[in-house]
Amino acid sequence: MQTTQFSSAAQLPMTPCYLNGEYTALRDARISVMDRGFIFGDGVYEVVPVYAGKLFRFAQHMARLDRSLGELRMNNPLAHEQWREIALQLISRYAQSLAVQPGQTDQLVYIQVTRGVAMRDHVMPKDIAPTVFVMTSTMKPPTPEQRDKGVACVTADDFRWEKAHIKATSLLGAVFSRQLSFDADAVETVMFRHGFLSEAAASNVWVVKGGKLLGTPKDNLVLEGIRYGLMEEICRTTGIPFELRRISLAEVLDADELLLTSATKEVLAVTTLDGKPVGSGRPGPVCARLLAGYQMAKAQA
Ligand SMILES: Cc1ncc(COP(=O)(O)O)c(C=O)c1O
């Protein structure tokens, strides 16, 4: 999974985005240097998958946006239906910019709300207008080879803050964490806090043991991915036992299967951890069933 690098804003694509009430090209979008998102990372975001032109699990993403904003003591500046309208507009404009039909490219809609513009002071200012930004891009799902063979991950201590449940734009901890795996030519960094699994830099992590799917509790130490609820639903309908509880490092190292979930990875098998095989070293049967369930959920959305 490569990053796309630009040396200046002038090289950004002409694809459309939405900023504070207006549609403009990504290349032309501007915010104030005093935006608290820029100064403090004082904002929240969402990443919503779009399949065949349709927003996937949009209501759940909106609910999480509300929760994150609530943690920042902010109100949602838009109604959920307004967010939907903007997202659908962008999906269609983005397809137009690529000269394809809206349903032809799977996309990711990125939503960001920052507290807004104020002179620099840590204290949260009241009554300022939030900055609202939305863009969309082409989804880059796992490659067929990654699906077939699974991916490599590394482990690390979870050195992030203790409010990982907020989908905050201040992501330096996640950037540091992800870089560790990138440097090791791996896809994710699986993190542990005091010897217990938390999550990966930008994914939730699941353990399969004896046919059961184990996930970590939905507390302040992990972001509750939208795929949390989805995994539970798929397990219920397919008869896979499901449990959320603390999971030790020893249990992760002894897993039959290890899985990542996120908006882009969907369900992805981890087949080596710190260079050692996980279970059989191949994507396992529970991963296959969950992935099939995921594809069904997409088709029914
Ligand atoms: C830290 C972290 N955990 C988990 C996830 C997975 O969340 P979701 O399933 O909503 O994509 C993400 C997604 O970006 C993340 O950044």
Side-chain angles (χ1 to χ4, degrees):
M1 293 179 196
Q2 275 304 314
T3 50
T4 312
Q5 297 176 1
F6 299 102
S7 55
S8 79
Q11 292 177 353
L12 287 171
M14 287 302 285
T15 52
C17 68
Y18 172 96
L19 180 63
N20 295 332
E22 284 178 21
Y23 292 94
T24 178
L26 203 52
R27 186 182 293 181
D28 299 328
R30 300 281 180 273
I31 59 156
S32 165
V33 290
M34 296 314 293
D35 194 287
R36 285 177 63 100
F38 179 60
I39 298 283
F40 292 119
D42 186 359
V44 299
Y45 73 106
E46 276 301 322
V47 180
V48 189
V50 180
Y51 298 112
K54 287 194 201 143
L55 292 154
F56 187 61
R57 302 249 143 180
F58 189 67
Q60 289 87 337
H61 281 279
M62 285 291 106
R64 187 171 65 183
L65 179 65
D66 286 339
R67 290 200 300 275
S68 296
L69 285 166
E71 292 284 347
L72 268 61
R73 304 191 198 180
M74 289 175 67
N75 293 320
N76 195 332
L78 299 176
H80 294 178
E81 275 317 300
Q82 290 175 298
W83 285 113
R84 183 191 293 278
E85 296 253 308
I86 295 166
L88 291 176
Q89 260 294 328
L90 280 177
I91 292 164
S92 149
R93 286 176 187 236
Y94 182 78
Q96 238 170 33
S97 76
L98 301 181
V100 298
Q101 292 299 314
Q104 251 176 290
T105 51
D106 288 343
Q107 300 180 30
L108 285 176
V109 172
Y110 176 91
I111 289 173
Q112 176 168 324
V113 182
T114 76
R115 198 177 302 278
V117 178
M119 288 310 286
R120 189 178 182 281
D121 181 346
H122 287 67
V123 176
M124 298 172 179
K126 286 208 166 75
D127 302 327
I128 59 171
T131 300
V132 174
F133 174 64
V134 189
M135 65 178 168
T136 178
S137 58
T138 300
M139 188 183 299
K140 296 192 183 109
T143 63
E145 196 193 354
Q146 287 176 327
R147 282 257 172 263
D148 188 43
K149 295 196 171 134
V151 296
C153 288
V154 300
T155 59
D157 274 337
D158 192 343
F159 40 68
R160 303 170 309 157
W161 69 334
E162 293 190 352
K163 289 185 183 287
H165 63 298
I166 307 174
K167 200 160 172 64
T169 56
S170 22
L171 281 172
L172 198 52
V175 168
F176 280 8
S177 170
R178 173 66 186 102
Q179 192 65 32
L180 294 173
S181 43
F182 183 83
D183 291 345
D185 213 13
V187 159
E188 258 291 18
T189 306
V190 177
M191 297 184 286
F192 295 84
R193 216 182 271 261
H194 310 302
F196 286 92
L197 176 65
S198 52
E199 57 183 337
S203 331
N204 291 117
V205 181
W206 304 85
V207 165
V208 177
K209 192 69 193 171
K212 184 187 233 187
L213 186 68
L214 295 173
T216 53
K218 294 185 260 183
D219 58 17
N220 61 306
L221 301 180
V222 296
L223 180 78
E224 183 188 335
I226 300 307
R227 272 121 288 276
Y228 248 83
L230 191 48
M231 288 303 104
E232 191 169 1
E233 278 174 42
I234 298 171
C235 282
R236 203 181 314 124
T237 53
T238 55
I240 299 169
F242 176 90
E243 190 185 356
L244 299 183
R245 63 159 170 84
R246 280 165 41 101
I247 302 166
S248 70
L249 172 62
E251 287 181 286
V252 172
L253 298 180
D254 193 38
D256 297 335
E257 300 177 42
L258 195 61
L259 313 174
L260 301 172
T261 58
S262 77
T264 38
K265 295 181 191 83
E266 301 183 344
V267 186
L268 186 59
V270 178
T271 42
T272 70
L273 192 60
D274 293 331
K276 298 186 197 83
V278 175
S280 69
R282 305 273 315 158
V286 174
C287 179
R289 284 167 72 191
L290 291 170
L291 189 58
Y294 200 103
Q295 302 316 315
M296 226 143 80
K298 274 161 60 172
Q300 285 163 0

